[in-house]
Amino acid sequence: MRLSPAELLLQELGVTDPTEIDLEAIAYHVNAHVRYRPLDGCEARIVGTADRAIITVNSNSQWRRKRFSIAHELGHWHHHRGRCLACRVEEYRPRSAVSPERTADGYAADLLMPNYLFRPLANAQKKLNFASIKALADAFNASQTATAIRLVEADFAPAMLVCHGPQGRKWFVRSRSVPDRWFPQDNLDAESYAFGIQFGADPDGPILRKIGADAWFDRVGADRFEIQEQTIRTGPGETLTLLVFCDERMLEDQDMRWYGR
């Protein structure tokens, strides 16, 4: 597998285990100094010249958030040196268009969870659920959200990740093996397990549970299938749902209108 720039950097430094990913040391290696200060309105920023940079990270953020911020700014330092950017680092999430921020996010993901280390540990997990996601997040000292996106985008299993807030769906990402026709509804269905977690006092989903696919997808034929759902809270007013496609017929290349009732 071809290595990304971030992965090449890690191998250049001899990183062979997730515990060896020391972001401040990596920054020093590429002539970027990391400092921590209270910041208002952003999580991090970078100021650089031709060959040196200062990365300032919000000292009030949680440690894993700080790690992503450093990795994100190192992405800018690698890809956008010499450009003037107004950078507002957000938690790693799918972005709809190619942009400097998306490029920096991708670099950060490769630096925090390089595929040459991530894939073997991911393959060792028995199944895709939030227990395995948490185990990997702890191993790489990354957030559950970033780790979940990494797993789903890597297509270890046909799955979808959907983030909701009080106003509805905020973003989603699907595995390559899931056809584009499966597009989640904007708002949570009251029949979904996620609804009681997002809007009620239900506890986080402890396991994957089967549910009718029509609770998540508003299209003809969805009611003929079941998927697996697990939802957790990821912040104030925000939930993250993992949907695993357990019926292979949902992955076939055909229009669901041909399924009879």
Side-chain angles (χ1 to χ4, degrees):
M1 178 179 292
R2 186 175 181 180
L3 297 177
S4 69
E7 291 166 334
L8 286 170
L9 174 60
L10 291 172
Q11 293 210 341
E12 175 187 328
L13 294 171
V15 172
T16 60
D17 187 88
T19 59
E20 298 171 355
I21 302 175
D22 183 334
L23 294 178
E24 290 190 29
I26 293 169
Y28 180 83
H29 179 74
V30 296
N31 293 326
H33 172 69
V34 178
R35 65 182 186 181
Y36 301 91
R37 301 284 190 277
L39 295 178
D40 185 19
C42 68
E43 289 293 328
R45 62 181 179 229
I46 183 169
V47 178
T49 60
D51 60 353
R52 293 190 178 277
I54 295 177
I55 295 172
T56 305
V57 179
N58 189 355
S59 58
N60 295 321
S61 298
Q62 296 181 350
W63 176 239
R64 291 185 182 182
R65 188 68 187 78
K66 293 175 183 175
R67 279 174 55 80
F68 178 80
S69 295
I70 296 170
H72 177 96
E73 297 300 353
L74 286 173
H76 282 312
W77 185 230
H78 176 83
H79 288 286
H80 309 123
R81 194 174 306 190
R83 295 177 59 181
C84 182
L85 299 171
C87 178
R88 294 179 63 87
V89 185
E90 298 178 355
E91 180 61 89
Y92 179 46
R93 63 185 59 189
R95 297 181 189 267
S96 58
V98 176
S99 67
E101 296 309 305
R102 183 174 182 179
T103 301
D105 280 352
Y107 188 96
D110 287 341
L111 197 61
L112 293 169
M113 296 172 282
N115 276 307
Y116 72 91
L117 297 179
F118 188 81
R119 283 186 171 275
L121 291 180
N123 286 328
Q125 302 298 317
K126 294 182 179 180
K127 64 189 305 184
L128 176 57
N129 56 27
F130 277 115
S132 61
I133 289 168
K134 184 179 185 303
L136 289 168
D138 290 343
F140 286 90
N141 205 3
S143 72
Q144 286 197 77
T145 298
T147 306
I149 293 172
R150 192 71 160 166
L151 270 172
V152 170
E153 289 185 331
D155 208 9
F156 285 95
M160 181 177 290
L161 200 64
V162 191
C163 178
H164 281 89
Q167 305 305 315
R169 190 187 69 238
K170 299 176 72 172
W171 54 263
F172 78 97
V173 61
R174 62 165 74 87
S175 301
R176 291 188 302 273
S177 57
V178 176
D180 291 348
R181 66 173 175 270
W182 297 113
F183 196 97
Q185 300 179 66
D186 290 339
N187 298 306
L188 283 171
D189 191 299
E191 296 300 316
S192 68
Y193 298 115
F195 188 90
I197 299 174
Q198 175 68 56
F199 297 108
D202 293 358
D204 288 1
I207 58 173
L208 286 165
R209 293 180 285 185
K210 286 189 175 181
I211 190 170
D214 57 331
W216 283 92
F217 306 105
D218 183 18
R219 61 172 295 117
V220 174
D223 59 342
R224 297 185 58 82
F225 304 104
E226 288 186 326
I227 56 175
Q228 293 179 315
E229 172 193 335
Q230 186 180 9
T231 300
I232 63 170
R233 293 181 177 86
T234 53
E238 183 177 280
T239 54
L240 191 64
T241 298
L242 177 67
L243 301 175
V244 177
F245 291 68
C246 47
D247 192 325
E248 292 186 0
R249 294 176 300 167
M250 295 182 72
L251 309 178
E252 295 174 356
D253 291 328
Q254 53 186 312
D255 195 313
M256 304 313 299
R257 288 177 298 180
W258 296 108
Y259 280 92
R261 292 180 177 275

Short mmCIF file of all heavy atoms in Angstrom, two decimals, residues 156-191:
data_model
loop_
_atom_site.label_atom_id
_atom_site.label_comp_id
_atom_site.label_asym_id
_atom_site.label_seq_id
_atom_site.Cartn_x
_atom_site.Cartn_y
_atom_site.Cartn_z
N PHE A 156 -13.80 -1.64 6.63
CA PHE A 156 -13.58 -2.92 7.28
C PHE A 156 -14.86 -3.76 7.29
O PHE A 156 -14.81 -4.98 7.37
CB PHE A 156 -13.08 -2.71 8.71
CG PHE A 156 -11.65 -2.27 8.78
CD1 PHE A 156 -11.32 -0.93 8.87
CD2 PHE A 156 -10.62 -3.19 8.71
CE1 PHE A 156 -10.00 -0.52 8.91
CE2 PHE A 156 -9.30 -2.79 8.75
CZ PHE A 156 -8.99 -1.45 8.85
N ALA A 157 -16.00 -3.08 7.21
CA ALA A 157 -17.30 -3.74 7.11
C ALA A 157 -18.24 -2.73 6.47
O ALA A 157 -18.02 -1.52 6.56
CB ALA A 157 -17.82 -4.13 8.50
N PRO A 158 -19.28 -3.19 5.77
CA PRO A 158 -20.25 -2.25 5.19
C PRO A 158 -20.99 -1.50 6.29
O PRO A 158 -21.77 -2.10 7.04
CB PRO A 158 -21.18 -3.15 4.37
CG PRO A 158 -21.02 -4.52 4.95
CD PRO A 158 -19.63 -4.59 5.47
N ALA A 159 -20.72 -0.22 6.42
CA ALA A 159 -21.26 0.52 7.56
C ALA A 159 -21.43 1.98 7.20
O ALA A 159 -20.94 2.48 6.19
CB ALA A 159 -20.33 0.38 8.77
N MET A 160 -22.13 2.68 8.08
CA MET A 160 -22.36 4.11 7.94
C MET A 160 -22.27 4.74 9.32
O MET A 160 -22.65 4.12 10.33
CB MET A 160 -23.74 4.36 7.32
CG MET A 160 -24.10 5.80 7.08
SD MET A 160 -25.73 5.97 6.26
CE MET A 160 -25.34 5.36 4.62
N LEU A 161 -21.75 5.95 9.37
CA LEU A 161 -21.65 6.70 10.61
C LEU A 161 -22.45 7.98 10.43
O LEU A 161 -22.24 8.71 9.46
CB LEU A 161 -20.18 7.02 10.89
CG LEU A 161 -19.76 7.38 12.31
CD1 LEU A 161 -19.98 6.22 13.25
CD2 LEU A 161 -18.29 7.79 12.32
N VAL A 162 -23.38 8.26 11.37
CA VAL A 162 -24.26 9.42 11.24
C VAL A 162 -24.21 10.23 12.53
O VAL A 162 -24.41 9.69 13.62
CB VAL A 162 -25.71 9.00 10.95
CG1 VAL A 162 -26.54 10.23 10.56
CG2 VAL A 162 -25.79 7.94 9.86
N CYS A 163 -23.95 11.53 12.40
CA CYS A 163 -23.91 12.43 13.56
C CYS A 163 -25.16 13.31 13.55
O CYS A 163 -25.50 13.90 12.52
CB CYS A 163 -22.65 13.28 13.50
SG CYS A 163 -22.50 14.48 14.84
N HIS A 164 -25.82 13.40 14.70
CA HIS A 164 -27.01 14.23 14.84
C HIS A 164 -26.85 15.24 15.98
O HIS A 164 -26.17 14.99 16.97
CB HIS A 164 -28.25 13.38 15.14
CG HIS A 164 -28.83 12.71 13.95
ND1 HIS A 164 -28.43 11.45 13.54
CD2 HIS A 164 -29.77 13.12 13.05
CE1 HIS A 164 -29.10 11.10 12.45
NE2 HIS A 164 -29.92 12.08 12.13
N GLY A 165 -27.49 16.37 15.79
CA GLY A 165 -27.64 17.37 16.83
C GLY A 165 -29.12 17.66 17.01
O GLY A 165 -29.97 17.04 16.36
N PRO A 166 -29.48 18.60 17.86
CA PRO A 166 -30.89 18.92 18.10
C PRO A 166 -31.66 19.32 16.83
O PRO A 166 -32.86 19.11 16.74
CB PRO A 166 -30.83 20.08 19.09
CG PRO A 166 -29.50 19.93 19.76
CD PRO A 166 -28.58 19.40 18.71
N GLN A 167 -30.96 19.90 15.85
CA GLN A 167 -31.62 20.37 14.63
C GLN A 167 -31.61 19.33 13.51
O GLN A 167 -32.08 19.62 12.41
CB GLN A 167 -30.93 21.65 14.14
CG GLN A 167 -30.85 22.74 15.18
CD GLN A 167 -32.21 23.10 15.76
OE1 GLN A 167 -33.19 23.23 15.03
NE2 GLN A 167 -32.28 23.26 17.08
N GLY A 168 -31.10 18.16 13.79
CA GLY A 168 -31.11 17.11 12.76
C GLY A 168 -29.71 16.61 12.43
O GLY A 168 -28.76 16.81 13.20
N ARG A 169 -29.60 15.96 11.27
CA ARG A 169 -28.33 15.37 10.87
C ARG A 169 -27.27 16.44 10.61
O ARG A 169 -27.52 17.41 9.90
CB ARG A 169 -28.52 14.52 9.60
CG ARG A 169 -27.30 13.66 9.25
CD ARG A 169 -27.46 12.96 7.92
NE ARG A 169 -27.41 13.90 6.83
CZ ARG A 169 -28.36 14.08 5.93
NH1 ARG A 169 -29.48 13.38 6.00
NH2 ARG A 169 -28.21 14.97 4.96
N LYS A 170 -26.08 16.26 11.16
CA LYS A 170 -24.98 17.21 10.97
C LYS A 170 -24.05 16.74 9.85
O LYS A 170 -23.58 17.54 9.05
CB LYS A 170 -24.20 17.38 12.27
CG LYS A 170 -25.06 17.93 13.42
CD LYS A 170 -24.29 18.02 14.73
CE LYS A 170 -23.26 19.12 14.73
NZ LYS A 170 -22.67 19.31 16.09
N TRP A 171 -23.77 15.44 9.81
CA TRP A 171 -22.93 14.87 8.75
C TRP A 171 -23.04 13.35 8.80
O TRP A 171 -23.54 12.78 9.78
CB TRP A 171 -21.46 15.30 8.88
CG TRP A 171 -20.80 15.03 10.21
CD1 TRP A 171 -20.65 15.90 11.25
CD2 TRP A 171 -20.21 13.78 10.65
NE1 TRP A 171 -20.01 15.30 12.30
CE2 TRP A 171 -19.72 14.00 11.95
CE3 TRP A 171 -20.05 12.54 10.08
CZ2 TRP A 171 -19.07 13.00 12.70
CZ3 TRP A 171 -19.41 11.53 10.80
CH2 TRP A 171 -18.93 11.77 12.09
N PHE A 172 -22.60 12.72 7.74
CA PHE A 172 -22.52 11.26 7.75
C PHE A 172 -21.42 10.83 6.80
O PHE A 172 -20.96 11.58 5.94
CB PHE A 172 -23.86 10.63 7.34
CG PHE A 172 -24.14 10.64 5.87
CD1 PHE A 172 -23.86 9.53 5.07
CD2 PHE A 172 -24.68 11.77 5.26
CE1 PHE A 172 -24.10 9.55 3.72
CE2 PHE A 172 -24.94 11.79 3.91
CZ PHE A 172 -24.66 10.67 3.12
N VAL A 173 -20.97 9.59 6.98
CA VAL A 173 -19.98 8.99 6.09
C VAL A 173 -20.34 7.51 5.93
O VAL A 173 -20.83 6.88 6.87
CB VAL A 173 -18.55 9.16 6.66
CG1 VAL A 173 -18.39 8.48 8.00
CG2 VAL A 173 -17.52 8.64 5.67
N ARG A 174 -20.14 6.98 4.73
CA ARG A 174 -20.43 5.57 4.47
C ARG A 174 -19.19 4.86 3.96
O ARG A 174 -18.28 5.46 3.39
CB ARG A 174 -21.57 5.42 3.45
CG ARG A 174 -21.26 5.99 2.10
CD ARG A 174 -22.25 5.50 1.04
NE ARG A 174 -23.56 6.11 1.15
CZ ARG A 174 -23.90 7.26 0.59
NH1 ARG A 174 -23.00 7.96 -0.08
NH2 ARG A 174 -25.11 7.75 0.70
N SER A 175 -19.16 3.54 4.17
CA SER A 175 -18.10 2.71 3.60
C SER A 175 -18.25 2.68 2.08
O SER A 175 -19.34 2.85 1.55
CB SER A 175 -18.18 1.29 4.15
OG SER A 175 -18.07 1.26 5.55
N ARG A 176 -17.15 2.39 1.40
CA ARG A 176 -17.20 2.30 -0.06
C ARG A 176 -18.12 1.19 -0.54
O ARG A 176 -18.70 1.27 -1.63
CB ARG A 176 -15.79 2.05 -0.62
CG ARG A 176 -14.83 3.21 -0.46
CD ARG A 176 -13.53 2.95 -1.20
NE ARG A 176 -12.88 1.72 -0.75
CZ ARG A 176 -12.04 1.66 0.28
NH1 ARG A 176 -11.78 2.76 0.97
NH2 ARG A 176 -11.48 0.52 0.63
N SER A 177 -18.29 0.16 0.26
CA SER A 177 -19.12 -0.98 -0.13
C SER A 177 -20.61 -0.71 0.01
O SER A 177 -21.43 -1.53 -0.43
CB SER A 177 -18.74 -2.22 0.69
OG SER A 177 -18.87 -1.96 2.08
N VAL A 178 -20.99 0.42 0.60
CA VAL A 178 -22.41 0.77 0.76
C VAL A 178 -22.82 1.65 -0.42
O VAL A 178 -22.26 2.73 -0.62
CB VAL A 178 -22.65 1.52 2.08
CG1 VAL A 178 -24.11 1.97 2.18
CG2 VAL A 178 -22.29 0.63 3.27
N PRO A 179 -23.80 1.21 -1.22
CA PRO A 179 -24.23 2.00 -2.39
C PRO A 179 -24.73 3.40 -2.01
O PRO A 179 -25.28 3.61 -0.93
CB PRO A 179 -25.36 1.15 -2.98
CG PRO A 179 -25.09 -0.25 -2.51
CD PRO A 179 -24.50 -0.09 -1.14
N ASP A 180 -24.55 4.33 -2.94
CA ASP A 180 -24.94 5.72 -2.69
C ASP A 180 -26.44 5.89 -2.45
O ASP A 180 -26.86 6.90 -1.87
CB ASP A 180 -24.53 6.61 -3.88
CG ASP A 180 -23.02 6.76 -3.98
OD1 ASP A 180 -22.33 6.37 -3.03
OD2 ASP A 180 -22.55 7.25 -5.03
N ARG A 181 -27.23 4.93 -2.91
CA ARG A 181 -28.69 5.09 -2.76
C ARG A 181 -29.12 5.09 -1.29
O ARG A 181 -30.22 5.55 -0.97
CB ARG A 181 -29.43 3.99 -3.51
CG ARG A 181 -29.22 2.58 -2.96
CD ARG A 181 -30.12 1.56 -3.66
NE ARG A 181 -29.86 0.21 -3.23
CZ ARG A 181 -28.99 -0.62 -3.80
NH1 ARG A 181 -28.28 -0.19 -4.84
NH2 ARG A 181 -28.81 -1.83 -3.34
N TRP A 182 -28.27 4.54 -0.41
CA TRP A 182 -28.62 4.54 1.02
C TRP A 182 -28.13 5.85 1.63
O TRP A 182 -26.99 6.01 2.00
CB TRP A 182 -28.01 3.33 1.72
CG TRP A 182 -28.57 2.04 1.18
CD1 TRP A 182 -27.90 1.09 0.48
CD2 TRP A 182 -29.92 1.59 1.28
NE1 TRP A 182 -28.75 0.06 0.13
CE2 TRP A 182 -30.00 0.34 0.61
CE3 TRP A 182 -31.08 2.12 1.86
CZ2 TRP A 182 -31.19 -0.37 0.51
CZ3 TRP A 182 -32.25 1.39 1.77
CH2 TRP A 182 -32.30 0.17 1.10
N PHE A 183 -29.07 6.80 1.69
CA PHE A 183 -28.81 8.15 2.17
C PHE A 183 -29.67 8.38 3.41
O PHE A 183 -30.90 8.31 3.34
CB PHE A 183 -29.16 9.16 1.08
CG PHE A 183 -28.59 10.53 1.29
CD1 PHE A 183 -27.41 10.89 0.66
CD2 PHE A 183 -29.21 11.44 2.13
CE1 PHE A 183 -26.85 12.15 0.84
CE2 PHE A 183 -28.67 12.70 2.33
CZ PHE A 183 -27.48 13.06 1.68
N PRO A 184 -29.08 8.64 4.57
CA PRO A 184 -29.87 8.75 5.81
C PRO A 184 -30.80 9.96 5.80
O PRO A 184 -30.50 11.00 5.23
CB PRO A 184 -28.80 8.88 6.90
CG PRO A 184 -27.62 9.47 6.20
CD PRO A 184 -27.65 8.89 4.81
N GLN A 185 -31.92 9.79 6.47
CA GLN A 185 -32.89 10.88 6.58
C GLN A 185 -32.28 12.06 7.36
O GLN A 185 -31.38 11.89 8.17
CB GLN A 185 -34.14 10.39 7.32
CG GLN A 185 -34.84 9.23 6.63
CD GLN A 185 -36.05 8.76 7.42
OE1 GLN A 185 -37.02 9.49 7.55
NE2 GLN A 185 -35.99 7.55 7.95
N ASP A 186 -32.82 13.24 7.09
CA ASP A 186 -32.32 14.44 7.76
C ASP A 186 -32.57 14.40 9.27
O ASP A 186 -31.73 14.81 10.06
CB ASP A 186 -32.98 15.70 7.19
CG ASP A 186 -32.53 16.00 5.76
OD1 ASP A 186 -31.45 15.50 5.37
OD2 ASP A 186 -33.25 16.72 5.04
N ASN A 187 -33.75 13.93 9.65
CA ASN A 187 -34.15 13.93 11.05
C ASN A 187 -34.31 12.51 11.58
O ASN A 187 -34.66 11.60 10.83
CB ASN A 187 -35.47 14.69 11.23
CG ASN A 187 -35.34 16.15 10.84
OD1 ASN A 187 -34.47 16.86 11.34
ND2 ASN A 187 -36.20 16.60 9.94
N LEU A 188 -34.08 12.35 12.86
CA LEU A 188 -34.18 11.04 13.47
C LEU A 188 -35.63 10.56 13.51
O LEU A 188 -36.55 11.31 13.85
CB LEU A 188 -33.63 11.07 14.90
CG LEU A 188 -32.11 11.08 15.03
CD1 LEU A 188 -31.70 11.34 16.49
CD2 LEU A 188 -31.53 9.75 14.57
N ASP A 189 -35.82 9.31 13.16
CA ASP A 189 -37.14 8.66 13.25
C ASP A 189 -37.39 8.29 14.71
O ASP A 189 -36.50 7.81 15.41
CB ASP A 189 -37.14 7.41 12.37
CG ASP A 189 -38.53 6.83 12.19
OD1 ASP A 189 -39.14 6.44 13.21
OD2 ASP A 189 -39.00 6.73 11.05
N ALA A 190 -38.61 8.50 15.18
CA ALA A 190 -38.95 8.19 16.57
C ALA A 190 -38.80 6.71 16.87
O ALA A 190 -38.68 6.31 18.04
CB ALA A 190 -40.37 8.65 16.88
N GLU A 191 -38.79 5.85 15.82
CA GLU A 191 -38.64 4.41 16.02
C GLU A 191 -37.18 4.00 16.20
O GLU A 191 -36.90 2.88 16.61
CB GLU A 191 -39.24 3.67 14.83
CG GLU A 191 -40.73 3.86 14.65
CD GLU A 191 -41.51 3.37 15.86
OE1 GLU A 191 -41.19 2.27 16.37
OE2 GLU A 191 -42.44 4.07 16.29
#
